[in-house]
Amino acid sequence: MNSNFTNDNITHIKKGNLEYITFNILNKYKDKLIHGFFFKNGGVSKGIYSSLNFRILGNDSKKNVFKNIDIVKKELNLSKVYKAMQAHSDNILILDNNNKSKYEIEKLNNEEYDSYVIAEKDISTIITTADCNPIIIYDPVNNVVANVHSGWKGTIKQIYIKTVKLMNRKYGSKYNDIIVCIGPSINKCCFCSSSLEFKKQFTDIWPNENEYITNKENGEFYIDLPYVIKKDLIRLGLKKENIILSEICTVCNNDVCFSYRFLKKQNELDYATMGTFVELK
Ligand SMILES: [Zn+2]
């Protein structure tokens, strides 16, 4: 429970039991952008959901999930929080002051979106994850931000590339200016499989597997998803130094992170999720 992830890229904030990280590259714009990747402690949920759980569709009490959201709203001084249904899709929602009322988190809108693009103030969003990659994409020049959910399925669909391209098309965001921060997720140390069919889904898109897959003699292999995302974005034209990985593995750090894989290994039937929040000021 005493991990401290502060380094050159990350500031780890602890307020009692409440803990989250911010990225220093985004903190340079803190007069315009609020963000935080929250760990699992400091909330009110109980049992396997203990305690800062944001998963509304699980068996945790919704009342507690909304209380958890209020804890973060208070901590970051956020306005209302908006959300649709995450579905490992590559659907992107442009959230604005005209359409936002449909997506108030309490309304549990079941339209499927895994990326929110926001160019207006006072619209806060949450991405929930427990091993998948939470990604914040920010264009400080045009003040446009995206909050993105990219697990292995979203990564295969390259939702982060589609989001960057949309920001470019719609808001004129230049690849050179865009900052990308990837929060805690399952890292290569733990993202393991032995299914060749599973592997093929990756190597069909990224044939140079030596770059991001480590094969073990027993047939198991380990995939580095944050690396794949970073490489893809560099290939697209983003600056290497503007893409920052947290390098925090949710499975290895399951004392502070909710991890789907970790809970499945304990034969739990349900799971909890952490929250990544962004809002333009
Ligand atoms: Zn790990």
Side-chain angles (χ1 to χ4, degrees):
M1 293 261 180
N2 286 316
S3 328
N4 191 330
F5 298 109
T6 294
N7 59 33
D8 288 348
N9 294 325
I10 289 170
T11 302
H12 184 167
I13 296 156
K14 300 185 187 189
K15 300 263 181 82
N17 291 325
L18 189 66
E19 294 186 48
Y20 57 103
I21 56 166
T22 61
F23 283 77
N24 297 340
I25 195 169
L26 294 176
N27 288 334
K28 286 185 205 161
Y29 305 99
K30 63 180 173 196
D31 53 327
K32 298 196 288 187
L33 178 79
I34 310 172
H35 81 286
F37 295 77
F38 283 77
F39 291 115
K40 74 174 190 182
N41 301 315
V44 296
S45 296
K46 305 278 184 274
I48 61 161
Y49 312 105
S50 177
S51 59
L52 196 67
N53 173 39
F54 296 109
R55 186 154 181 265
I56 299 171
L57 293 178
N59 293 324
D60 191 8
S61 118
K62 286 191 184 43
K63 206 171 126 193
N64 283 347
V65 172
F66 291 130
K67 274 189 194 165
N68 289 336
I69 287 166
D70 282 338
I71 289 170
V72 171
K73 276 173 76 176
K74 201 172 156 203
E75 169 62 22
L76 296 183
N77 198 16
L78 297 173
S79 351
K80 230 174 179 4
V81 178
Y82 300 89
K83 188 184 187 302
M85 175 89 86
Q86 288 177 206
H88 302 280
S89 73
D90 56 0
N91 301 335
I92 306 169
L93 175 66
I94 297 173
L95 251 184
D96 58 32
N97 283 304
N98 287 323
N99 67 9
K100 69 179 185 184
S101 65
K102 265 171 82 178
Y103 304 101
E104 283 171 16
I105 196 162
E106 298 81 5
K107 289 187 179 165
L108 301 177
N109 187 313
N110 63 8
E111 290 175 26
E112 294 179 349
Y113 292 104
D114 290 84
S115 172
Y116 307 102
V117 174
I118 308 143
E120 295 176 9
K121 292 174 187 176
D122 303 324
I123 303 173
S124 176
T125 58
I126 177 175
I127 284 295
T128 58
T129 54
D131 293 342
C132 291
N133 293 285
I135 311 175
I136 295 177
I137 303 175
Y138 183 51
D139 164 12
V141 175
N142 295 290
N143 208 29
V144 181
V145 72
N147 203 0
V148 183
H149 165 235
S150 185
W152 68 265
K153 289 178 187 159
T155 300
I156 280 176
K157 292 172 185 164
Q158 295 172 303
I159 186 169
Y160 44 89
I161 288 185
K162 289 169 183 163
T163 301
V164 166
K165 285 186 172 172
L166 185 147
M167 288 167 70
N168 170 263
R169 264 196 328 270
K170 186 158 169 69
Y171 301 101
S173 298
K174 294 201 177 80
Y175 295 161
N176 251 346
D177 297 324
I178 290 176
I179 296 165
V180 177
C181 296
I182 306 183
S185 63
I186 188 167
N187 281 12
K188 191 180 190 180
C189 42
C190 296
F191 190 42
C192 161
S193 172
S194 49
S195 158
L196 293 177
E197 257 171 69
F198 183 65
K199 191 199 242 184
K200 191 173 175 300
Q201 298 186 69
F202 294 88
T203 51
D204 280 351
I205 303 170
W206 303 283
N208 191 2
E209 68 169 85
N210 293 337
E211 254 191 90
Y212 65 96
I213 297 179
T214 302
N215 293 296
K216 296 280 161 77
E217 278 175 14
N218 64 3
E220 286 181 342
F221 55 89
Y222 292 77
I223 304 182
D224 193 340
L225 283 185
Y227 175 87
V228 166
I229 295 169
K230 182 172 179 172
K231 254 325 209 353
D232 262 357
L233 290 167
I234 292 170
R235 220 171 284 128
L236 183 67
L238 274 69
K239 285 185 187 162
K240 188 175 156 197
E241 61 270 28
N242 283 351
I243 305 167
I244 315 289
L245 314 183
S246 74
E247 294 176 340
I248 300 169
C249 174
T250 43
V251 183
C252 293
N253 296 286
N254 62 73
D255 57 334
V256 288
C257 294
F258 286 126
S259 166
Y260 175 83
R261 275 218 172 194
F262 178 75
L263 282 176
K264 286 289 153 205
K265 274 190 193 157
Q266 319 284 311
N267 296 316
E268 292 291 351
L269 298 173
D270 202 12
Y271 65 100
T273 53
M274 299 184 288
T276 297
F277 294 78
V278 291
E279 179 179 334
L280 296 175
K281 275 172 116 176

